[in-house]
Amino acid sequence: SYNSNFPPDRFRSRSDIVRKQQASLVQALSDRMAEHDFLAYTASSSKLIFPEASRFSLREKLSTYGTYPFSVEKKDGTIAKLSIPLDNSSPHQILECMAASINFPPPPPPLLSECPSLPRNEQEKFKSKANQNGAVRNDVDQFIWSQGSYHGQQQQKSPSSMNRDMIYFLKNIDFDHIKQRKLDRINAIAAVLVARRAWQFMAIDGTGLGWSSASLAICISRLTNLHEEHQSKLRTKSFYPFRIMLTSDEFQRKVDLFGGIIRLNPAATMLQWLGTLLTVTDESVRMLKKNQISLKKNLSQVENALGLRVVKGHTCGPVEYHRCIEKLALESQQNNSHGEGTSLVAVSKETSIVIESEQAYRRGKLRRDGSFEVGAGMDLQMIRKTLGDFAIRSHEYIRIESEKRARCEEIVDQIMYEFGVQRVNKVSSMVTSDQMSDCLSMLLDKDEAEKEVMKQYLAGQSIGIAGRGQLCHLGDDGSIIIPTNCS
């Protein structure tokens, strides 16, 4: 056996020849693993783009590597002299040789072995060409020719590219799965309604878990069963206006009297849920209502002082948001009592002011949708300065975005009319109106034959537009999700 865990200076005491051999091998391996066949071997699919002009030069380039000698120190301190061929060996053969030199198990079978072999006529042409050049056919040659265009013939698409082909996806979809997912979504909605009526919650939110509707319905049914079994132990008859949030976040408080949230971990037991719910009393409900009334009153004063709608951002916590609005309302009252003017900047009423965390936002910013982002630690004067600095750009952003939305709505109406689709919407807020318009325009630009095929599958369905990083798939509600770069 060999000692494969030797430190980098293991061969420092050896001769210069050994050290040069080790350094040459490391550099050669680094260069060899950057070649196209190695990249295809390590990728999830071997069908990488490989120009026809380059597949002939790859064989010549690989032949320059040759065989590299190297040394491996055994556990008894002796040195074993070995060598590894890097020229005409496939990536799998090179890895096998490396693993055998240090007594490691061999690597898994290569993905290249699963690729379709060359057509018979191409094999005959390749054999005759190889015999003329005096070359010997090996795995490298097989890879090079399998990546070629077969003299102009179209290559087979990889599974990932097929999943971006909408027609291919529609032809291979199981529509029974769509029906089942729609039923699961209905069951989940029904489970939420039953649980809300039993506990008198304002809402139940489990979207942050990323679970399927079927799994979420089972989880919420546990909440209903908990009420039926332990309702006599509860310390309040109505939990309204609290809302339930199913989350695995254990760092935030379980009962939030400012945000009106009761956080339950879906991995917890029913008795652990009960322990959290028993901490909610009639006094907790009164305190929450009092905080909400105070927030509504202060928020009205702040919006009158700034002339815009004010909303809470994602990074701002409920307590921080309440404190910020309370501080701004008090400052507004002081300004009015001292007779100081509240000159408002002419900004569009369609925009809003988003209050973000003080740690995340030290100064005001402008979003692409024309809304203003301010930190919770800013005062009225700093917020007004932000409005003045970005007012003109905000108008321009809003005008451009409204034009894009109008164009997108026209294309959506045309898609619904031509393909008989029930609904078209964005799956994520990260999808812009331009991306959605380009994606839907691509569907409208297909020829009549393709449109007829798509209409057969899309009629009566819903379409969701996702980001570029995704593939065509079914949504949790049974909608057909397509990426913005689908074909």
Side-chain angles (χ1 to χ4, degrees):
S1 61
Y2 302 110
N3 184 5
S4 59
N5 297 321
F6 50 84
D9 59 350
R10 169 70 67 179
F11 295 96
R12 182 169 295 177
S13 60
R14 303 297 175 180
S15 63
D16 293 340
I17 298 178
V18 174
R19 284 184 291 173
K20 289 181 180 179
Q21 289 178 350
Q22 303 296 96
S24 300
L25 175 63
V26 172
Q27 182 63 46
L29 280 175
S30 178
D31 296 339
R32 183 67 179 85
M33 290 181 179
E35 299 295 347
H36 191 278
D37 58 339
F38 243 110
L39 297 178
Y41 177 84
T42 56
S44 58
S45 172
S46 62
K47 291 294 180 182
L48 301 178
I49 300 176
F50 192 60
E52 183 177 1
S54 301
R55 55 194 175 101
F56 298 103
S57 61
L58 177 60
R59 189 188 305 106
E60 298 178 0
K61 185 177 181 181
L62 296 183
S63 61
T64 61
Y65 281 96
T67 301
Y68 285 80
F70 66 98
S71 303
V72 175
E73 183 176 356
K74 299 181 180 180
K75 289 185 177 181
D76 57 5
T78 59
I79 298 296
K81 301 290 185 179
L82 303 173
S83 62
I84 180 172
L86 300 181
D87 45 2
N88 289 323
S89 298
S90 66
H92 185 68
Q93 292 173 338
I94 295 175
L95 295 179
E96 279 184 331
C97 182
M98 295 171 61
S101 64
I102 55 176
N103 281 355
F104 265 41
L111 295 177
L112 289 177
S113 60
E114 302 175 2
C115 297
S117 58
L118 292 173
R120 179 171 299 178
N121 60 336
E122 292 295 334
Q123 292 181 7
E124 296 300 329
K125 292 179 181 179
F126 172 74
K127 288 180 180 179
S128 61
K129 185 176 180 63
N131 291 333
Q132 293 174 3
N133 298 335
V136 179
R137 183 180 181 186
N138 51 32
D139 291 339
V140 174
D141 295 321
Q142 173 68 28
F143 167 79
I144 293 174
W145 281 86
S146 66
Q147 299 297 310
S149 59
Y150 298 150
H151 299 284
Q153 297 182 13
Q154 185 177 4
Q155 292 183 1
Q156 181 180 0
K157 293 183 178 180
S158 65
S160 60
S161 63
M162 288 178 179
N163 286 337
R164 289 190 177 92
D165 188 337
M166 190 171 179
I167 296 181
Y168 176 87
F169 173 74
L170 293 175
K171 288 182 177 180
N172 291 273
I173 197 175
D174 189 350
F175 282 85
D176 290 337
H177 290 170
I178 297 181
K179 296 179 181 178
Q180 185 61 46
R181 295 195 180 195
K182 290 181 178 179
L183 292 175
D184 291 340
R185 175 57 65 91
I186 295 174
N187 292 336
I189 295 175
V192 169
L193 291 176
V194 172
R196 283 182 57 193
R197 290 175 181 176
W199 292 90
Q200 298 187 31
F201 289 127
M202 182 179 180
I204 298 178
D205 182 12
T207 56
L209 295 175
W211 287 13
S212 65
S213 296
S215 300
L216 191 60
I218 296 174
C219 181
I220 296 176
S221 298
R222 293 172 54 201
L223 194 61
T224 304
N225 297 335
L226 179 64
H227 183 271
E228 294 176 354
E229 185 176 355
H230 299 283
Q231 58 179 327
S232 60
K233 301 178 183 179
L234 300 178
R235 303 173 65 185
T236 181
K237 294 183 179 180
S238 174
F239 284 81
Y240 189 88
F242 278 101
R243 61 188 180 95
I244 289 291
M245 177 180 290
L246 297 174
T247 175
S248 57
D249 188 356
E250 293 289 343
F251 295 97
Q252 301 189 51
R253 61 182 65 184
K254 297 292 185 181
V255 180
D256 190 346
L257 298 181
F258 289 89
I261 301 174
I262 301 176
R263 294 179 174 86
L264 299 179
N265 193 329
T269 64
M270 295 179 63
L271 292 180
Q272 289 175 320
W273 284 4
L274 180 62
T276 301
L277 295 169
L278 287 178
T279 60
V280 180
T281 62
D282 291 335
E283 181 62 26
S284 303
V285 176
R286 284 194 295 269
M287 184 62 67
L288 174 60
K289 292 180 179 179
K290 179 181 177 180
N291 291 335
Q292 291 182 341
I293 293 174
S294 176
L295 175 64
K296 185 178 180 180
K297 178 182 177 181
N298 294 331
L299 190 61
S300 177
Q301 295 180 3
V302 174
E303 290 179 344
N304 290 333
L306 295 175
L308 289 177
R309 184 170 61 96
V310 179
V311 296
K312 186 178 78 69
H314 293 291
T315 63
C316 186
V319 178
E320 187 179 19
Y321 181 66
H322 277 249
R323 297 288 183 261
C324 174
I325 298 300
E326 183 180 4
K327 178 194 66 175
L328 294 177
L330 180 59
E331 186 178 351
S332 175
Q333 292 177 359
Q334 293 175 351
N335 292 340
N336 293 335
S337 62
H338 292 123
E340 297 181 5
T342 57
S343 57
L344 300 179
V345 181
V347 294
S348 175
K349 298 299 180 181
E350 299 179 7
T351 186
S352 60
I353 300 175
V354 184
I355 305 294
E356 298 289 355
S357 173
E358 180 180 7
Q359 296 180 353
Y361 291 83
R362 302 282 181 169
R363 57 185 179 85
K365 296 181 181 180
L366 182 65
R367 288 183 174 180
R368 282 294 180 182
D369 59 356
S371 58
F372 302 91
E373 289 181 340
V374 298
M378 298 173 62
D379 55 16
L380 281 178
Q381 183 178 358
M382 296 175 64
I383 295 177
R384 289 194 180 105
K385 184 178 183 302
T386 300
L387 299 181
D389 292 341
F390 299 112
I392 298 178
R393 290 172 57 188
S394 176
H395 277 293
E396 185 67 16
Y397 285 172
I398 293 175
R399 182 188 64 81
I400 295 175
E401 185 61 27
S402 61
E403 294 176 354
K404 292 179 179 179
R405 281 200 302 265
R407 175 175 174 268
C408 187
E409 290 174 359
E410 293 178 359
I411 300 177
V412 167
D413 293 339
Q414 191 173 356
I415 287 287
M416 296 176 65
Y417 176 78
E418 287 201 19
F419 297 101
V421 178
Q422 287 186 349
R423 186 179 74 251
V424 180
N425 64 308
K426 298 178 184 179
V427 176
S428 171
S429 59
M430 300 300 293
V431 179
T432 64
S433 299
D434 283 338
Q435 291 176 336
M436 187 171 180
S437 299
D438 294 342
C439 178
L440 297 179
S441 299
M442 181 274 300
L443 301 181
L444 295 174
D445 292 339
K446 290 184 177 294
D447 55 41
E448 294 301 325
E450 292 178 325
K451 285 184 179 180
E452 287 298 324
V453 174
M454 294 173 59
K455 187 176 181 179
Q456 298 176 5
Y457 295 102
L458 292 177
Q461 305 298 334
S462 300
I463 296 179
I465 308 300
R468 293 178 59 87
Q470 300 190 35
L471 303 175
C472 295
H473 64 280
L474 282 182
D476 182 65
D477 59 348
S479 59
I480 298 174
I481 310 299
I482 61 176
T484 55
N485 61 334
C486 68
S487 58

